[in-house]
């Protein structure tokens, strides 16, 4: 329950410690799983002291147990082992320390560990963390490779030497971390996150040599799996040997069977690439040569045609034909003009022969009244009316008599 205190009425340290102890005493016994990081068995002592650590969250708690409790599992349990402990929390008031009093201890077997990993694997797969569509492609030629591995380890040497042998100009950003034990998970996670935040890192390789199932457990930790799944940089898993398959292999963008295999998959071989360039250059040269030869043959075939050997021959033949057509056109046009002239002459002669002027020259005259009307009937004029008479050479006035 919450205590009511004020600056004027504070609680003494002893009272606070006593209250905390009272609250903890009301807690029952619990089963706790962890990894033994420190183990103290003094000769003749009836109590064994050890520290249990949660490797995923870097949290530890002290455990005490009677020697007979620990002796029951002493043959299979040591530092680094995972155990199940039935313990009751205890509060040591004089020092203000929390510890667990173990009443029973059981080692965590490999079969149980594998069963837990299988359950975790199914759970993460159901979330889609292992889906193929989430995999990011690796760059063809990474300029800077992030490497997470143990310090001075064979895995580090294999990756660096093989990668630089394949492509001497490749550069590495190395993070040396523990790759097994209680400190492995948090430091590997931190190294992966640091490399992922570097903008120049093109790919991250997490490498470790082979080992037992217990040794490889950090690379199946849920915290590490989720950290790799959240990376924006492609991640390559190179853990153990070919048979080993931690959960990191499933979430990584590429799985390498060994650290050496990771170097081969991440970095191209400069000799192979030079040979590929040479082959492509030769292929391009052959294609261009074949194209030129084909075009040269086509050009030679075109030049061998008669029209190309004597290009004016066709023009000369067409010129004679054009001359013949021009002469024919002229003759035809001359005939048409002559016939038209003859028809025009005949038509003119007929028109002249039938014109009023020709009639007047033959002695005829045209009588017109004063208003210009031609007189055609004697009844149209009256006696004494003056008329105008037109003849071939002029006109004169006449008067109508009785």
């Amino acid at each position: 329950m919450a205590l009511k205190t004020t600056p004027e009425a504070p609680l003494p340290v002893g009272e606070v410690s006593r209250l905390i102890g009272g609250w903890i005493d009301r807690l029952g016994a619990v089963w706790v799983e962890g990894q033994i990081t420190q183990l103290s068995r003094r000769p003749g002592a009836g109590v064994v002291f050890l520290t249990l650590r949660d490797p995923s969250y870097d949290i530890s708690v002290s455990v005490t147990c009677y020697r007979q409790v620990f002796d029951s599992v002493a043959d299979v349990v040591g530092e680094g082992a995972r155990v199940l402990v039935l313990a009751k929390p205890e509060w040591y008031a004089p020092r203000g320390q929390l510890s667990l009093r173990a009443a029973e201890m059981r080692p965590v077997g490999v079969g149980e560990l594998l069963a837990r990993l299988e359950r975790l694997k199914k759970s993460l797969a159901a979330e889609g963390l292992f889906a193929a569509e989430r995999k990011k492609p690796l760059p063809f030629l990474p300029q800077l490779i992030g490497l997470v591995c143990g310090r001075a380890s064979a895995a580090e040497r294999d990756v660096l030497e093989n990668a630089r042998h394949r492509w001497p100009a490749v550069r590495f950003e190395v993070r040396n971390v523990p790759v097994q034990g209680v400190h492995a998970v948090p430091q590997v996670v931190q190294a992966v996150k640091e490399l992922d935040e570097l903008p120049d890192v093109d790919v991250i390789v997490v490498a470790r040599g082979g080992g037992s199932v217990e040794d490889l457990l950090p690379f199946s930790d849920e915290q590490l799996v989720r950290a790799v799944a959240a990376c924006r940089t492609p991640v390559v898993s190179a853990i153990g040997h070919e048979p080993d398959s931690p959960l990191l292999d499933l979430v990584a963008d590429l799985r390498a069977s060994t650290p050496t295999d990771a170097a081969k998959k991440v970095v191209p071989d400069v000799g192979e690439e030079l040979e590929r360039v040479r082959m492509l250059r030769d292929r391009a040269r052959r294609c261009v040569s074949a194209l030129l030869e084909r075009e040269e043959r086509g050009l030679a075939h075109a030049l061998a045609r008669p029209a190309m050997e004597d290009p004016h021959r066709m023009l000369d033949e067409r010129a004679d034909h054009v001359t013949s057509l021009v002469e024919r056109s002229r003759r035809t046009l001359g005939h048409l003009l002559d016939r038209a002239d003859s028809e025009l002459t005949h038509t003119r002669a007929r028109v002249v022969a039938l014109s009023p002027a020709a009639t007047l020259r033959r002695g005829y005259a045209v009588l017109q009244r004063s208003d210009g009307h031609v007189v055609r009937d004697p009844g149209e004029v009256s006696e004494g009316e003056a008329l105008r008479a037109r003849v071939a050479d002029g006109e004169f006035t006449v008067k109508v008599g009785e």
Side-chain angles (χ1 to χ4, degrees):
M1 296 175 63
L3 298 177
K4 295 181 180 180
T5 60
T6 64
E8 292 76 17
L11 288 177
V13 173
E15 180 64 17
V16 173
S17 180
R18 185 188 66 80
L19 291 173
I20 292 176
W23 293 331
I24 291 177
D25 285 340
R26 288 197 292 270
L27 297 176
V30 293
W31 282 100
V32 181
E33 180 186 353
Q35 189 173 18
I36 298 177
T37 58
Q38 293 180 354
L39 178 61
S40 176
R41 288 189 297 172
R42 298 176 182 177
V47 178
V48 176
F49 298 92
L50 54 92
T51 301
L52 280 184
R53 188 182 188 89
D54 187 336
S56 299
Y57 296 97
D58 197 14
I59 298 176
S60 301
V61 64
S62 298
V63 180
T64 59
C65 64
Y66 292 109
R67 177 172 290 276
Q68 60 267 27
V69 174
F70 185 80
D71 287 346
S72 63
V73 294
D75 295 337
V76 293
V77 168
E79 288 191 3
R82 284 179 174 260
V83 293
L84 288 172
V85 177
L86 177 61
K88 187 178 185 305
E90 290 184 345
W91 179 255
Y92 186 61
R95 294 185 181 178
Q97 292 181 345
L98 174 68
S99 63
L100 299 177
R101 172 70 67 172
E104 184 179 349
M105 186 176 298
R106 300 178 185 177
V108 178
V110 174
E112 186 174 354
L113 289 175
L114 294 177
R116 293 181 184 178
L117 290 181
E118 186 63 26
R119 290 195 295 270
L120 178 59
K121 175 182 176 181
K122 292 181 179 179
S123 174
L124 297 177
E127 294 183 30
L129 267 62
F130 305 152
E133 55 269 18
R134 296 185 72 257
K135 307 295 183 182
K136 295 178 285 295
L138 270 62
F140 167 71
L141 180 58
Q143 300 300 311
L144 183 62
I145 299 175
L147 177 60
V148 181
C149 59
R151 186 179 302 277
S153 62
E156 179 181 7
R157 183 178 63 254
D158 290 345
V159 173
L160 295 181
E161 290 182 357
N162 283 279
R164 287 168 178 162
H165 176 73
R166 291 172 64 83
W167 198 276
V170 68
R171 297 181 297 117
F172 281 90
E173 184 73 23
V174 181
R175 294 290 186 274
N176 293 123
V177 297
V179 290
Q180 69 182 58
V182 294
H183 301 290
V185 172
Q187 295 198 29
V188 172
V189 170
Q190 181 181 358
V192 170
K193 290 181 177 179
E194 288 179 0
L195 293 174
D196 185 50
E197 292 174 356
L198 295 178
D200 295 335
V201 174
D202 298 319
V203 62
I204 300 173
V205 178
V206 182
R208 186 205 190 282
S212 64
V213 174
E214 293 87 347
D215 293 338
L216 300 182
L217 279 179
F219 299 96
S220 293
D221 187 87
E222 181 178 0
Q223 185 181 359
L224 177 59
V225 171
R226 293 189 181 279
V228 171
C231 285
R232 62 170 183 82
T233 308
V235 177
V236 177
S237 173
I239 306 301
H241 302 297
E242 181 65 32
D244 299 324
S245 182
L247 298 185
L248 180 62
D249 287 349
L250 302 177
V251 73
D253 299 291
L254 179 67
R255 176 189 182 266
S257 58
T258 62
T260 300
D261 183 48
K264 294 180 180 180
K265 290 182 176 181
V266 171
V267 180
D269 185 84
V270 64
E272 294 178 359
E273 297 306 318
L274 289 175
E275 179 63 19
R276 185 176 290 109
V277 170
R278 186 191 64 78
M279 294 176 59
L280 291 174
R281 186 185 294 116
D282 293 342
R283 180 181 177 185
R285 186 180 294 110
R286 290 194 301 270
C287 292
V288 173
S289 298
L291 177 62
L292 291 177
E293 291 176 359
R294 184 171 67 250
E295 296 301 323
E296 287 178 352
R297 290 194 299 269
L299 182 59
H301 179 70
L303 292 175
R305 294 179 179 178
M308 297 299 294
E309 290 182 346
D310 185 10
H312 295 286
R313 177 181 177 183
M314 183 181 296
L315 294 177
D316 294 340
E317 293 177 354
R318 294 299 179 185
D320 295 340
H321 183 60
V322 170
T323 302
S324 174
L325 291 177
V326 170
E327 292 178 353
R328 179 179 175 185
S329 299
R330 287 177 178 174
R331 290 194 301 271
T332 301
L333 181 58
H335 292 324
L336 291 176
L337 291 176
D338 291 343
R339 185 169 62 187
D341 181 68
S342 176
E343 292 179 354
L344 182 59
T345 301
H346 294 158
T347 302
R348 182 175 178 278
R350 288 197 299 270
V351 170
V352 170
L354 297 175
S355 67
T359 304
L360 293 177
R361 289 192 184 95
R362 290 199 300 269
Y364 291 94
V366 177
L367 297 178
Q368 294 178 306
R369 302 179 65 180
S370 58
D371 55 4
H373 285 83
V374 178
V375 177
R376 293 182 176 85
D377 186 0
E380 295 178 355
V381 297
S382 59
E383 182 180 354
E385 183 179 356
L387 301 174
R388 185 173 60 185
R390 291 188 59 186
V391 294
D393 292 333
E395 61 182 25
F396 55 87
T397 302
V398 296
K399 182 178 292 186
V400 178
E402 295 182 0

